[in-house]
Amino acid sequence: MSRYTKSTWKKSRHLNFSVLETGDELKKRAYGPGQHGNDRKRKPSEYGTQLLEKQKLRTLYGVNERQFRRLFLIAKADKETVTGLAFFRILESRLDNLVYRMGFARTRAGARQLVNHGHVLVNGKKVDIPSYLCSVNDVISFKGDSPLKVVKESLDSKPASVGYVKVDAEKLSGTFLRLPERNELPSDIQESQIIEFYNRKL
């Protein structure tokens, strides 16, 4: 399945979940899109609930189905960490996500574009793969000829910060300090449902 490139607000309303993590998409119309969006009150089946949770998490991080399944299998193979938390940590370790978490872009899509266009450095080396998995203590910065105005404007908007990254706004760089804990991640996603969804398919 290809990456979703249409209206994020419509997708958020369909999932009843803020993909942008601001809640703005649901403030005006907290129901599904379309003329019958306000009439969809039927309780979903168990499978439907599991599918919905998977779609919420996949859309949040902007990952296509093939990548998402592959990352889940990596998380499931981790014997030291609970599968749900391991899955979240892998998704949070993606380069595009860390660029977003550090406040260098206002959305993950914007962060993905910065990476795709070759503006981002990891430990001083150019990485243009948004799905690149960073390690703890990796330093993310920008090439000298990058459009830093966009990055500075994003930082000036004072984005919400998270405790597992450290940002130097003056140098336009950030460090991935540690892996996140579950209480630092989206609370309205039930990862146990996603695990059940894949367990019945694998």
Side-chain angles (χ1 to χ4, degrees):
M1 182 182 289
S2 60
R3 181 173 289 112
Y4 184 81
T5 58
K6 298 181 181 179
S7 170
T8 301
W9 284 51
K10 282 187 178 181
K11 191 67 175 180
S12 293
R13 289 173 58 202
H14 172 71
L15 297 172
N16 193 29
F17 171 75
S18 177
V19 174
L20 299 178
E21 298 185 280
T22 62
D24 292 342
E25 311 99 305
L26 305 176
K27 284 180 180 177
K28 188 174 181 181
R29 299 174 181 146
Y31 52 85
Q35 67 182 84
H36 301 295
N38 204 20
D39 299 328
R40 298 170 186 165
K41 298 180 180 179
R42 186 177 66 181
K43 185 177 180 180
S45 64
E46 180 182 359
Y47 175 80
T49 300
Q50 294 168 359
L51 178 62
L52 180 64
E53 292 301 311
K54 178 186 76 81
Q55 295 297 75
K56 283 162 61 175
L57 189 62
R58 191 175 71 77
T59 306
L60 176 66
Y61 288 96
V63 181
N64 66 39
E65 183 62 41
R66 185 176 179 181
Q67 287 178 318
F68 196 76
R69 185 176 184 275
R70 181 178 65 84
L71 294 178
F72 175 81
L73 292 175
I74 294 173
K76 188 175 182 181
D78 187 340
K79 303 301 181 183
E80 299 181 359
T81 310
V82 176
T83 300
L85 178 57
F87 194 23
F88 261 119
R89 284 176 168 176
I90 291 171
L91 291 167
E92 284 290 318
S93 298
R94 284 172 53 101
L95 179 56
D96 56 353
N97 178 76
L98 287 173
V99 170
Y100 165 71
R101 289 297 191 196
M102 290 174 180
F104 298 139
R106 297 184 181 184
T107 63
R108 286 186 178 86
R112 191 175 303 116
Q113 188 174 47
L114 285 173
V115 177
N116 271 329
H117 290 181
H119 299 302
V120 178
L121 306 176
V122 178
N123 299 327
K125 297 181 179 180
K126 186 181 83 170
V127 178
D128 57 5
I129 303 172
S131 61
Y132 176 83
L133 295 180
C134 296
S135 301
V136 172
N137 295 322
D138 277 355
V139 176
I140 296 171
S141 57
F142 295 87
K143 290 174 62 179
D145 59 349
S146 296
L148 300 182
K149 181 181 177 182
V150 175
V151 177
K152 290 177 180 176
E153 286 177 351
S154 179
L155 288 171
D156 288 343
S157 69
K158 301 188 184 304
S161 60
V162 291
Y164 44 93
V165 300
K166 181 181 179 181
V167 178
D168 188 327
E170 293 296 322
K171 295 182 179 179
L172 295 182
S173 69
T175 305
F176 186 22
L177 296 176
R178 59 175 174 80
L179 295 172
E181 298 299 330
R182 182 61 185 91
N183 60 8
E184 298 174 296
L185 301 168
S187 60
D188 44 359
I189 289 180
Q190 303 175 51
E191 62 269 29
S192 60
Q193 297 285 359
I194 301 171
I195 295 170
E196 287 297 321
F197 176 86
Y198 279 114
N199 281 344
R200 69 195 296 171
K201 285 181 168 293
L202 298 177

